Amino acid sequence: MIRVARSMIVVLAVAIVSMPLKPIAASADAIRDRQWHLVSLEVGRAQQLSVGEGVLVAVTDTGVDDRHGELAGAVIEGKEFGEGASGNGKADTDGHGTAMAGLIAGRGLPNGAGVLGIAPKATILPVQTIHSEFGGSPENLAAGITWAVSQGAQVICVAAVTSEYPEVREAVEAAIRVGVVVVAGVGNAPKSKQVGFPAKLPGVLAVAGTDKGGMHAAVSATGPEVVLSAPAVDIISLDAFGKYSTGDGTSNSTAIVAGVVALVRAKFPDLSAVEVIRRLTATATDRGSRGGTTSTGTASSIPLLLSPRSFPGRRSPLARVLEVWGSGAVVGEWALDGSWWGLGWLAGLLSGGCDAGHVRKPGGAGT
């Protein structure tokens, strides 16, 4: 029997971590104005420094419908997993995977129209492991992650939570060992009471959600395993069949952070996965405690993150903890000191900057 930490409920499927997408009737030229997170994160300035070119991002999801104009040339042939699977990952009857791809690498349309992703020159590898909102399996996810690594993915976006299956743990740990940045959503409240799996695994870049004010979004789960937070509410993106949709949930946050990681990997191709995450956390913004157990991070600005300036000699304690996590040592002994770390100063992530804060060694309980 698999031991499940704390009181987390075991589910037998992989569940995506967005609320149901809401199709919207909007012209492409009105879409960009509704992408409020691009302004919040100063994506325009960041993209003067990096656009994610040359970085392969695997989206383990419901597939990616690349017939959207915004995804033209952005999606290569992938693979479908599951019983009877034979497709190349480009069929998406749900729309969730297409939405994630749009947030990561949407290329926009002429004259500033359509969905623009965080890393519009990154390449999407569609890995279909979920066949509807509740229609995946941990085995599919594990196989999809392993295959994505074999295809050279540098970033893997897991906008889903699932049961604590050993196959998934092994696949994630193997990906991290070879230098892949695994970005995973923490899950949605109230269904998820704690950080979900695989986001809670050491070494995973676990992503929570913020609202338009940069504070904790009510839809987002919380917990000490959270590494970064990013916009999660009223996020507009692509949908299947050439449509657009809006949605709330940490799926959105996860895809946004995966796009940010692609920017960093393109700008600094020699950085290890641990160093990429360090760069993100070292410039994150802590917004203070929330309820005495967690705090809200903010997603503020990415340009500093991409600046060529080197980091100061002094590294934050959190960076050192991440090194420990990356090496697989003392797993579960360290946790953020009741903090959520914002995507804040993505620019700082790319350039160096502020201290990421402090950590504590809790009295015994691990993950």
Side-chain angles (χ1 to χ4, degrees):
M1 178 178 291
I2 299 168
R3 179 178 176 273
V4 179
R6 304 190 186 99
S7 59
M8 182 172 150
I9 298 174
V10 176
V11 293
L12 297 179
V14 176
I16 59 180
V17 288
S18 274
M19 304 300 285
L21 300 176
K22 303 172 186 176
I24 59 172
S27 60
D29 59 359
I31 295 298
R32 189 72 57 83
D33 290 341
R34 296 183 59 175
Q35 288 192 276
W36 67 268
H37 66 280
L38 298 181
V39 177
S40 175
L41 296 173
E42 297 186 55
V43 168
R45 284 207 301 135
Q47 289 177 352
Q48 295 175 23
L49 301 169
S50 175
V51 287
E53 190 166 8
V55 177
L56 184 62
V57 182
V59 177
T60 59
D61 215 287
T62 61
V64 176
D65 183 350
D66 69 342
R67 293 174 293 178
H68 259 286
E70 288 96 326
L71 292 177
V75 184
I76 64 174
E77 286 202 358
K79 190 171 182 178
E80 179 182 341
F81 291 84
E83 186 175 352
S86 60
N88 61 5
K90 292 187 177 184
D92 183 2
T93 58
D94 178 86
H96 188 267
T98 304
M100 300 302 101
L103 292 174
I104 296 167
R107 298 188 173 180
L109 296 171
N111 302 317
V115 167
L116 181 67
I118 300 293
K121 290 295 184 180
T123 300
I124 298 295
L125 178 67
V127 186
Q128 189 182 53
T129 59
I130 308 171
H131 300 281
S132 68
E133 186 178 355
F134 300 104
S137 75
E139 293 87 353
N140 290 351
L141 178 59
I145 291 171
T146 299
W147 182 80
V149 173
S150 75
Q151 300 304 299
Q154 297 152 277
V155 185
I156 297 179
C157 176
V158 185
V161 297
T162 189
S163 310
E164 296 194 26
Y165 272 53
E167 295 92 339
V168 177
R169 179 186 296 271
E170 291 163 6
V172 169
E173 290 175 346
I176 292 170
R177 280 197 301 271
V178 297
V180 178
V181 178
V182 179
V183 186
V186 301
N188 290 343
K191 184 174 182 178
S192 294
K193 305 298 183 183
Q194 301 162 14
V195 173
F197 182 87
K200 67 188 295 183
L201 286 173
V204 172
L205 208 173
V207 182
T210 55
D211 59 21
K212 290 185 177 181
M215 303 304 289
H216 166 63
V219 72
S220 176
T222 67
E225 300 92 345
V226 172
V227 178
L228 292 174
S229 55
V233 300
D234 192 28
I235 303 297
I236 189 168
S237 190
L238 307 177
D239 200 351
F241 310 112
K243 299 178 181 179
Y244 298 95
S245 61
T246 59
D248 299 340
T250 57
S251 284
N252 299 317
S253 315
T254 306
I256 288 169
V257 172
V260 173
V261 173
L263 294 182
V264 179
R265 301 223 87 162
K267 181 69 175 179
F268 305 107
D270 295 330
L271 290 184
S272 69
V274 170
E275 289 168 333
V276 169
I277 297 175
R278 178 191 302 155
R279 196 169 187 92
L280 289 162
T281 57
T283 53
T285 302
D286 180 11
R287 283 296 180 90
S289 63
R290 176 178 177 270
T293 56
T294 61
S295 67
T296 55
T298 181
S300 351
S301 160
I302 305 175
L304 179 61
L305 205 163
L306 297 170
S307 162
R309 285 192 299 127
S310 61
F311 281 103
R314 182 172 66 92
R315 296 202 313 274
S316 71
L318 178 57
R320 295 193 291 274
V321 170
L322 286 169
E323 286 182 322
V324 169
W325 282 7
S327 70
V330 292
V331 169
E333 289 192 11
W334 291 85
L336 296 180
D337 189 12
S339 299
W340 266 19
W341 297 95
L343 260 183
W345 296 105
L346 283 182
L349 274 176
L350 297 169
S351 71
C354 59
D355 184 3
H358 62 288
V359 295
R360 65 180 170 85
K361 188 174 182 180
T367 57

